[in-house]
Amino acid sequence: MEIIEQTNRTILFDEINPEKLDLLTLVGDVKGLESVDDDKVKEINGHLLVKSFDEFLDKFAPTVYSFFNAANQKVIYTLKKPEAIPADCIQEIVIDQNNDFLKMLLTMIQTKRSQGIENVDFKFDKILDMISPKKVMDDIRFVRKEIHYLYGEYEKLDEEDPLRLDIGDKLNVKFEEASKSYNNIMAMLPLAIEDSKQRLLAGSTGDGDSSEKFVAGLLTMGDEGELKIIERPTSESTAVAIAEDTTTNALIEVFKEDYENITDNPTDYVADLVVRTFCPLPVTNTTDIDVPKEVEKYNSYLEFYQETKGDFIKVVKPLIEKILGVFILTNINLKTKAWCLYADM
């Protein structure tokens, strides 16, 4: 037992990613072959043997492929890489722990497990509520809060302070996390939906009458004690808004530059959308908001987002079920170390 620490291995014969090498391909021709040599075993293990769930995701990279059909304005998803579609028209959606869908399911399982509940019941038709634009924006707000905090701490420190370099590294990680969606219109849709919603709230009274504009005001008392709400001067309110937070003002330029450097085809609208998302400032000039147009954009974005997410879930469901099975298997508490061999067949 001191020499052989572990003898148990689990073999899963299933297809995770058709683009990865499989066992039959690696073994090759077996005519007259009774066994494979050590080098071949080492090669097979290098491609197919994993010791953890993270290694499984990294080595097999479960992927969904998507492309757009301009004829019917639809997004198409598939688990097999299309061969007849130009490569630059195909987007690869890697299902790892950064994927909002898988992350949500793993969080649900881990939460239930911490509560001592063995079975986790959920319905795929209810999943849309859990990966809605609101949920995406909640995650973005958390990242935004971290960026603003770290940037403020970074600016307080002298350039020679070693802590400044450490905080700078953390900032770069957060900026990279925020910028992952810049070249992905589908990932930007939740931002656009929330942005239109907020602009509509600023451009209306909030009582359902979108024809009446909202004008920021101040509550005052007149010469004889009467209550008055007077319009706050636009120029003054704009200046106050910018001066209120120098960190936000500086970050606006950082995000603009980051977006322009990373994005293949930058546009003014998306640049402004990124800035308004990560560096929100009060809407001070509501006369510039075309309410009917914003309503049309909001409805269009939301309908497209919900429809495509629904189609995505239908396609990814069997792959997610396999991934969750591997997650459960690799997280079983055993007295001995469990190794798992996965082979695409």
Side-chain angles (χ1 to χ4, degrees):
M1 289 304 295
E2 294 179 357
I3 299 175
I4 304 175
E5 297 180 359
Q6 171 65 34
T7 58
N8 296 331
R9 294 193 182 188
T10 299
I11 302 179
L12 171 64
F13 293 96
D14 211 330
E15 185 175 74
I16 303 297
N17 186 342
E19 297 299 311
K20 297 293 183 178
L21 290 173
D22 55 56
L23 187 59
L24 293 179
T25 302
L26 288 168
V27 172
D29 188 6
V30 295
K31 290 181 180 179
L33 189 67
E34 295 183 359
S35 64
V36 295
D37 56 35
D38 291 344
D39 288 340
K40 178 58 68 173
V41 171
K42 185 177 180 180
E43 181 186 6
I44 292 173
N45 288 345
H47 287 284
L48 304 179
L49 182 67
V50 302
K51 302 176 184 178
S52 68
F53 182 66
D54 288 337
E55 187 180 3
F56 162 74
L57 291 179
D58 180 63
K59 192 168 281 190
F60 285 87
T63 303
V64 176
Y65 302 92
S66 71
F67 54 94
F68 301 93
N69 186 349
N72 59 10
Q73 300 294 299
K74 297 287 186 180
V75 185
I76 300 173
Y77 297 98
T78 176
L79 295 179
K80 295 186 182 295
K81 190 173 184 178
E83 297 181 355
I85 306 296
D88 60 346
C89 293
I90 300 172
Q91 179 190 352
E92 297 184 2
I93 306 171
V94 180
I95 310 299
D96 56 19
Q97 298 210 50
N98 293 318
N99 178 268
D100 56 355
F101 187 32
L102 181 61
K103 182 167 60 175
M104 178 270 299
L105 293 175
L106 294 181
T107 300
M108 183 188 301
I109 293 174
Q110 290 166 335
T111 300
K112 294 293 185 181
R113 177 178 293 173
S114 66
Q115 296 173 349
I117 302 173
E118 295 184 358
N119 296 325
V120 179
D121 296 325
F122 61 89
K123 297 181 179 179
F124 274 91
D125 58 354
K126 301 297 183 183
I127 294 300
L128 276 177
D129 295 336
M130 308 177 81
I131 53 173
S132 64
K134 180 181 181 301
K135 178 63 173 62
V136 175
M137 283 305 302
D138 287 342
D139 293 339
I140 287 175
R141 288 189 184 97
F142 184 77
V143 174
R144 183 175 70 193
K145 187 176 182 180
E146 289 184 299
I147 289 176
H148 281 247
Y149 168 73
L150 290 172
Y151 191 82
E153 294 298 305
Y154 179 82
E155 288 296 302
K156 291 178 185 177
L157 300 173
D158 296 330
E159 291 188 5
E160 295 78 13
D161 194 325
L163 183 58
R164 196 172 197 262
L165 182 61
D166 182 53
I167 293 178
D169 290 339
K170 293 179 180 178
L171 258 178
N172 288 334
V173 172
K174 292 301 173 183
F175 275 119
E176 184 178 351
E177 187 176 339
S179 66
K180 286 181 178 179
S181 58
Y182 289 173
N183 283 316
N184 185 346
I185 298 300
M186 286 298 298
M188 294 295 290
L189 263 182
L191 312 188
I193 291 170
E194 183 67 16
D195 183 66
S196 287
K197 178 181 176 182
Q198 294 302 322
R199 290 169 67 80
L200 282 170
L201 290 174
S204 66
T205 60
D207 58 4
D209 181 9
S210 60
S211 63
E212 184 175 352
K213 296 291 185 180
F214 169 81
V215 178
L218 298 173
L219 179 62
T220 64
M221 281 189 177
D223 295 336
E224 298 183 5
E226 71 276 16
L227 291 175
K228 289 183 178 180
I229 298 179
I230 63 173
E231 180 179 348
R232 189 182 191 187
T234 302
S235 57
E236 177 186 338
S237 60
T238 303
V240 171
I242 295 177
E244 278 179 352
D245 192 350
T246 54
T247 298
T248 298
N249 195 32
L251 278 172
I252 288 176
E253 298 304 319
V254 174
F255 272 105
K256 280 184 178 179
E257 183 178 352
D258 191 42
Y259 168 75
E260 291 174 356
N261 290 337
I262 293 176
T263 308
D264 299 330
N265 299 299
T267 65
D268 291 339
Y269 175 79
V270 179
D272 292 341
L273 178 60
V274 169
V275 169
R276 289 198 297 265
T277 299
F278 289 97
C279 303
L281 288 174
V283 179
T284 56
N285 188 6
T286 58
T287 58
D288 291 341
I289 299 176
D290 187 337
V291 174
K293 186 175 181 180
E294 287 294 337
V295 170
E296 182 181 353
K297 284 200 304 183
Y298 177 81
N299 291 334
S300 174
Y301 291 161
L302 188 60
E303 180 183 357
F304 189 81
Y305 180 83
Q306 291 179 333
E307 183 179 346
T308 53
K309 278 294 184 181
D311 292 341
F312 171 76
I313 289 173
K314 291 176 184 177
V315 171
V316 79
K317 178 181 176 181
L319 179 59
I320 288 290
E321 289 173 343
K322 296 175 186 178
I323 294 173
L324 292 180
V326 173
F327 175 77
I328 297 298
L329 179 63
T330 55
N331 282 272
I332 295 176
N333 292 323
L334 299 175
K335 292 182 179 179
T336 56
K337 184 178 180 182
W339 288 17
C340 305
L341 177 66
Y342 302 94
D344 285 350
M345 299 295 290

